[in-house]
Amino acid sequence: MAFDLVTPVLPALLPLATVLLIRQLDNSLSVSNSKPDWDHEYDYIVVGSGSAGSVLANRLSEDPDVTVLVLEAGGSENIVSDVPIGTTSLQKGPLDWKYETEPQHASCYGLNGRRSQWPRGKVLGGSSVLNFMLYIRANPRDYDNWSYNHGCEGWSWKEVFPYFLKSEDNTDPKYARTPWHSQGGYLTVSTPPFATPLAQAFLAAATFMGSKVTDLNGPIQTGFMYPQGTIRRGARCSTAKAFLLPCKGRGNLRLVTFAQATKILFHGYRAKGVRFAHFGKMYQVFARKEVILSAGAINSPQLLMLSGVGPRFHLEAHGIPVIADLAVGDNLQDHIYPGGVHFSTDHPVSYKEERVAVPSNLVKYFATGSGPLTALGAIEGLAFMKSRFSNITDDYPDIEVHFISGGPMSDDGKTIRKTSGLREDVWRAYFKPFSHKDGYSIYPVLLRPKSRGWIRLRSKNPFSPPIIDPQYLTHDDDIHLLVEGMKMSIKLGHAPSFAQFAPKLYDRLFPGCEEYLQWSSEYLACVARSFTATIYHPVGTCKMGSHLDASAVVDPQLRVLGGIKGLRVVDASVMPLIVNGNTNAPTIMIAEKAADMIKGSRKRGEI
């Protein structure tokens, strides 16, 4: 569910040219794009400027006595990326790496080539420019589990919680004035100013589901909420806006865009610098203290392996000299949902392109930061629920629900077919008959998947996309839990609060699942294996853990193991287990904590 905001609204942008120009100038960053705009040597080199790299750039450059270079493979954000409701229109565009997985043998049957599309941000701000902006910290138990059960000393909830608060600038008094939130940080967190009637119906359905409306970032995670997101005055607040813009006057910080790192340079076991490509030419820069990889759960392991850090058998197969034999690229985890539970209605209550992408809403958005364009990709409800497989006495839900006020085909299927890779025959048979309808969609998310995948090099060519194989639904427990999530979603969609809209559950048989009784567990399992969708949360491929853990890549200080010196990984790839919620806020937290670790190491003379 999303909108093409470029074609239908371009004429309406012309009268707003002055406003748009001012906004773009306010959000512009000082970057170096021609030699010799950067120096030969810096104290720290940060590879990647995404949710983690932008934070590191800001925090490390707070010290005027150190110099920091940030290498970013992409360019800058644009006006379209600012608009919250248009988030998926950015996929497959110039800000996206446009990755896709290998064909899946236990899932993705209804997608082209059985491949899942994996958008990743190739831009200042990284995937925080492409995401749905949802602000969720996950569950305290996640971090205690890291610390006490997975050798990640120092990463308990008590120890990481202050770093969430350090970043946050919550603008909603209802939340900001509680001990669970803070104001004054760089990252703006706010409640979207617009909601459809469906949002209220969703919140009212909490009681029907035996739950309640609560702050999902508060003391109890189980419950329902109208979501908060990383938006500022109605526009996306990426980590580039939040953390890099305030640094634009710092002379000790240099950003180089369109600079793709191709190799970490070693002197023995010490990382000494980075080789990178910039407009067709190769350059080298050197680090006096550390090289820090913040390129994400796909590109960080890829760069390590290209540089000789990874599984020996794999590197030798590609003729890459091995510096450290580590489990780089293993432990890949992702949050997925089955293609959703969809309801149609004849009431004009949801986001539809012909009503939303109109000049009057554009004027309202750019002039006042209000109106339907401020919706978080049309997500108007979040819920964390416990299935029958969970412990009813614990606050550790195993299903997250994304509630979208709109059908998946409200733009005649253009966006979903492009972004998910949905097969044409599946779209025509199942979704197209409802494309003219209003409606709402409920997506149950598998929070703690047991399936594990991997990242591997396709070749030693740094410009070849890596092999991404998430091995979706290869563990039987995952499909059983997704089926339960779909049953819970069907019940939720029939809550009395929605009756005013006379909703109807899509009644077509899903292609390929005709042999099963509709709505049976077998049928729902078939649907889940046919339309298996990522919610863009790859983690774990440079696992953090004890030096005694053979599967660990970095230690609890995020330093690369195997005798390597001067090299850390700071991004979502270090998570030993995926968190119980969306991953953007936890990734920012990881970088906040890592920055203090790095500063502490410097003060102690360790680097």
Side-chain angles (χ1 to χ4, degrees), residues 304-551:
L304 283 173
M305 287 186 283
L306 287 168
S307 308
V309 179
R312 179 177 295 278
F313 76 92
H314 179 61
L315 301 188
E316 290 179 344
H318 285 287
I320 298 173
V322 180
I323 295 173
D325 181 9
L326 295 171
V328 174
D330 291 349
N331 194 46
L332 176 61
Q333 301 156 64
D334 186 25
H335 285 143
I336 57 173
Y337 60 77
V341 172
H342 311 288
F343 292 80
S344 65
T345 175
D346 293 326
H347 294 249
V349 291
S350 59
Y351 296 99
K352 286 182 70 67
E353 186 173 22
E354 63 267 25
R355 288 199 299 267
V356 174
V358 296
S360 60
N361 284 332
L362 276 163
V363 172
K364 184 182 295 185
Y365 170 77
F366 285 111
T368 66
S370 62
L373 299 184
T374 63
L376 305 175
I379 295 178
E380 291 202 306
L382 287 179
F384 285 85
M385 302 191 297
K386 290 184 280 191
S387 78
R388 64 185 179 91
F389 299 117
S390 66
N391 187 333
I392 196 170
T393 64
D394 287 344
D395 179 39
Y396 203 37
D398 50 2
I399 290 291
E400 179 182 3
V401 163
H402 288 188
F403 177 83
I404 290 185
S405 296
M409 297 295 121
S410 54
D411 61 351
D412 202 31
K414 295 190 297 291
T415 299
I416 196 169
R417 282 180 286 164
K418 179 183 78 170
T419 60
S420 72
L422 187 68
R423 287 201 331 246
E424 182 76 13
D425 62 305
V426 176
W427 171 71
R428 290 188 177 277
Y430 188 75
F431 291 108
K432 185 175 173 56
F434 304 96
S435 62
H436 64 288
K437 294 275 193 179
D438 275 74
Y440 53 92
S441 299
I442 303 172
Y443 294 91
V445 178
L446 180 66
L447 282 173
R448 298 191 293 278
K450 294 183 179 179
S451 302
R452 296 290 184 271
W454 54 78
I455 303 286
R456 292 288 184 262
L457 297 178
R458 195 170 301 276
S459 75
K460 61 194 301 183
N461 179 355
F463 304 107
S464 293
I467 295 171
I468 303 169
D469 193 345
Q471 291 283 296
Y472 286 150
L473 300 180
T474 52
H475 196 291
D476 287 343
D477 288 354
D478 290 351
I479 190 66
H480 294 319
L481 187 50
L482 274 186
V483 167
E484 287 303 305
M486 295 175 78
K487 291 178 180 179
M488 295 161 70
S489 298
I490 292 170
K491 178 182 176 181
L492 171 59
H494 284 111
S497 55
F498 291 110
Q500 59 186 305
F501 309 114
K504 295 180 181 178
L505 184 63
Y506 283 18
D507 57 1
R508 294 295 183 102
L509 286 170
F510 203 91
C513 304
E514 295 88 350
E515 65 181 284
Y516 303 108
L517 178 66
Q518 193 171 28
W519 313 125
S520 67
S521 294
E522 294 78 10
Y523 173 80
L524 295 175
C526 179
V527 174
R529 290 193 187 276
S530 297
F531 193 168
T532 319
T534 176
I535 62 166
Y536 322 117
H537 294 169
V539 306
T541 49
C542 297
K543 178 186 175 184
M544 172 172 47
S546 161
H547 70 281
L548 300 175
D549 181 355
S551 65

Side-chain angles (χ1 to χ4, degrees), residues 78-279:
N78 55 49
I79 292 297
V80 176
S81 68
D82 270 359
V83 185
I85 204 169
T87 178
T88 51
S89 66
L90 304 170
Q91 295 178 23
K92 298 291 186 180
L95 309 185
D96 182 8
W97 282 95
K98 307 181 187 70
Y99 289 130
E100 60 181 25
T101 71
E102 295 302 291
Q104 297 299 287
H105 64 273
S107 64
C108 303
Y109 300 159
L111 307 184
N112 292 320
R114 292 191 176 183
R115 298 175 185 269
S116 175
Q117 306 296 305
W118 273 30
R120 295 282 88 196
K122 189 178 184 181
V123 58
L124 289 169
S127 294
S128 74
V129 175
L130 302 185
N131 70 3
F132 281 74
M133 298 148 283
L134 298 171
Y135 184 79
I136 293 290
R137 299 178 187 146
N139 193 290
R141 181 177 295 191
D142 298 325
Y143 306 103
D144 287 344
N145 193 19
W146 290 6
S147 182
Y148 305 134
N149 298 324
H150 289 272
C152 302
E153 183 181 355
W155 290 87
S156 69
W157 172 248
K158 181 179 179 181
E159 292 163 304
V160 304
F161 178 56
Y163 289 104
F164 284 109
L165 297 182
K166 183 177 183 180
S167 291
E168 185 182 2
D169 181 27
N170 203 302
T171 65
D172 189 329
K174 179 171 66 173
Y175 300 112
R177 294 169 183 167
T178 72
W180 295 90
H181 294 275
S182 65
Q183 294 180 297
Y186 285 111
L187 183 69
T188 303
V189 178
S190 61
T191 305
F194 183 89
T196 70
L198 290 168
Q200 286 303 315
F202 173 80
L203 296 180
T207 303
F208 176 73
M209 297 298 294
S211 190
K212 62 181 180 179
V213 177
T214 187
D215 176 8
L216 298 179
N217 291 303
I220 303 296
Q221 187 183 36
T222 307
F224 283 54
M225 182 184 184
Y226 184 67
Q228 285 205 297
T230 50
I231 58 173
R232 177 183 294 167
R233 296 185 294 276
R236 177 188 294 274
C237 181
S238 69
T239 54
K241 292 189 183 73
F243 291 93
L244 292 181
L245 272 177
C247 305
K248 62 191 301 183
R250 294 180 188 171
N252 63 333
L253 173 64
R254 181 68 68 192
L255 306 177
V256 182
T257 53
F258 303 105
Q260 182 174 342
T262 60
K263 189 175 184 179
I264 304 161
L265 304 174
F266 285 94
H267 179 70
Y269 287 95
R270 173 167 286 277
K272 296 295 292 183
V274 176
R275 181 178 298 153
F276 66 96
H278 188 256
F279 294 117

Side-chain angles (χ1 to χ4, degrees), residues 60-78:
L60 295 179
S61 65
E62 288 175 335
D63 184 347
D65 294 329
V66 303
T67 55
V68 181
L69 172 68
V70 178
L71 300 175
E72 169 53 50
S76 299
E77 299 173 73
N78 55 49

